[in-house]
Amino acid sequence: MTDPQQTALTPEHMAIELASQPEVWARAAALTAEQSLMPAAGQKVAIVGCGTSWFMGQAYAELRERSGQGVTDAYAASEAFVDRDYDAIIALTRSGTTSEVLELVRAQRGSKRIIGIVGDVNSPFVDDVDDLVKLPFADEQSVVQTRFATTALTFLRASLGENLDTAIADAQAAVDAPLDEELLTAEQYTFLGRGWTVGLAHEAGLKMREASQSWTESYPAMEYRHGPIAIAAPGRVTWMFGEAPVGLAADVARTGARFETSSFDPLADLVRAQRVSLERARAKGLNADAPRNLTRSVILSE
Ligand SMILES: O=P(O)(O)OC[C@H]1O[C@](O)(CO)[C@@H](O)[C@@H]1O
């Protein structure tokens, strides 16, 4: 029987939003006035969000701290130690209605500078922050986030002084690249990252679960051989975002699993994982825009 939740939305917003990423990233990378709202170098920063937004925060935290701009910690909004001596909190939310994010910013307002990054500029969140970066051109109709998350991270990378031209060109190549049958039909996927790409690995795993109900796992790459490699087997995929640690590809090959990686900017490689999620949803007859048990914004009551 067809699940009404799975057929409620047409057309396929995820497909359209996913394919628009190169163009939308370019817009975000050009927001120089908004970049100046971000915390100054040397400031101690916490970035918070839920689900996808938390994982983008993890990527940013690593990039900012590693670039020498100051201590930067990423937290799930529900588990955030923001009472520490942070100079600023960055709250990342597409909807601006996610309950844990709203609770956190309302509790912290007045004690620390709060910078919001939001997709829905009509949400209540916009009045709860001190400074606001608006990304309405990246907002989405699909419940499953693709371009808002990656566009926010593109904006954050640009704010750290990164040139995103290669990432944007790679994203277009990732949108256009053929995906082979073996990659689309694997039994299981483990996503790995190092440094800032650990957040991308967690996001790829979440995307695949949300959109296509697939079995996925995700880890920092150096943790993988401390147990999780036991899952690797023929017909399964181990997917590394960015440069792999020495010996990892050979260790995975010995298990019979496919070792997947690319020379694309890792954020562009995430676009390929989004496409695999979409194709697997299609193959299972699922509407990727409307995942089982998930809403566009998760609003929890006490
Ligand atoms: O960015 P927002 O709107 O706070 O929402 C985050 C939510 O988005 C999702 O990607 C889809 O609902 C979930 O990961 C998460 O609960």
Side-chain angles (χ1 to χ4, degrees):
M1 197 171 109
T2 310
D3 178 349
Q5 195 185 8
Q6 294 293 327
T7 53
L9 295 175
T10 53
E12 251 184 335
H13 295 296
M14 183 180 174
I16 297 163
E17 289 155 358
L18 187 164
S20 71
Q21 287 176 107
E23 180 199 331
V24 178
W25 291 7
R27 286 184 68 176
L31 295 176
T32 45
E34 287 82 351
Q35 285 166 26
S36 66
L37 294 175
M38 301 313 287
Q43 290 201 324
K44 191 169 174 180
V45 172
I47 180 164
V48 300
C50 293
T52 295
S53 295
W54 172 35
F55 299 141
M56 296 301 106
Q58 289 179 347
Y60 169 70
E62 213 278 345
L63 285 168
R64 183 174 186 270
E65 186 143 344
R66 198 164 295 269
S67 71
Q69 299 211 22
V71 169
T72 314
D73 297 316
Y75 297 108
S78 55
E79 300 287 350
F81 292 97
V82 286
D83 290 334
R84 293 174 179 167
D85 58 339
Y86 293 110
D87 298 300
I89 298 172
I90 301 171
L92 176 59
T93 172
R94 177 180 68 173
S95 63
T97 52
T98 298
S99 44
E100 298 98 309
V101 176
L102 282 181
E103 276 165 30
L104 185 147
V105 298
R106 286 172 182 166
Q108 294 297 322
R109 188 87 196 263
S111 69
K112 292 178 180 67
R113 179 176 172 231
I114 299 178
I115 304 160
I117 303 177
V118 74
D120 182 349
V121 296
N122 297 312
S123 63
F125 174 80
V126 302
D127 297 320
D128 288 330
V129 298
D130 298 302
D131 292 293
L132 189 65
V133 176
K134 300 176 187 172
L135 303 177
F137 56 87
D139 201 0
E140 298 166 293
Q141 294 190 60
S142 175
V143 168
V144 171
Q145 291 202 35
T146 54
R147 78 173 175 204
F148 178 76
T150 59
T151 301
L153 185 54
T154 298
F155 167 79
L156 289 164
R157 290 173 73 181
S159 78
L160 297 174
E162 261 197 74
N163 181 316
L164 276 302
D165 291 350
T166 302
I168 292 165
D170 285 353
Q172 189 60 59
V175 166
D176 297 334
L179 298 170
D180 66 76
E181 196 63 14
E182 184 189 61
L183 191 61
L184 293 174
T185 59
E187 180 191 28
Q188 188 274 341
Y189 300 78
T190 299
F191 296 100
L192 305 176
R194 285 206 89 178
W196 73 282
T197 74
V198 174
L200 303 187
H202 293 326
E203 168 57 7
L206 178 66
K207 209 72 335 181
M208 199 86 95
R209 291 191 289 273
E210 286 180 341
S212 68
Q213 299 172 21
S214 300
W215 173 18
T216 66
E217 305 194 5
S218 54
Y219 304 94
M222 291 301 287
E223 281 298 304
Y224 183 58
R225 287 168 287 185
H226 293 280
I229 195 169
I231 295 300
R236 299 180 180 179
V237 171
T238 302
W239 188 320
M240 176 73 209
F241 287 100
E243 198 180 330
V246 174
L248 179 65
D251 288 342
V252 171
R254 267 191 289 278
T255 70
R258 171 168 171 162
F259 185 76
E260 182 68 16
T261 190
S262 92
S263 58
F264 291 154
D265 178 279
L267 191 58
D269 204 27
L270 177 61
V271 173
R272 281 199 319 134
Q274 294 169 344
R275 287 184 57 213
V276 172
S277 307
L278 176 62
E279 292 304 332
R280 286 176 65 85
R282 285 172 171 165
K284 288 179 164 183
L286 300 173
N287 179 349
D289 289 340
R292 185 171 64 181
N293 310 333
L294 188 65
T295 47
R296 175 180 148 80
S297 164
V298 177
I299 301 172
L300 306 173
S301 50
E302 300 248 25

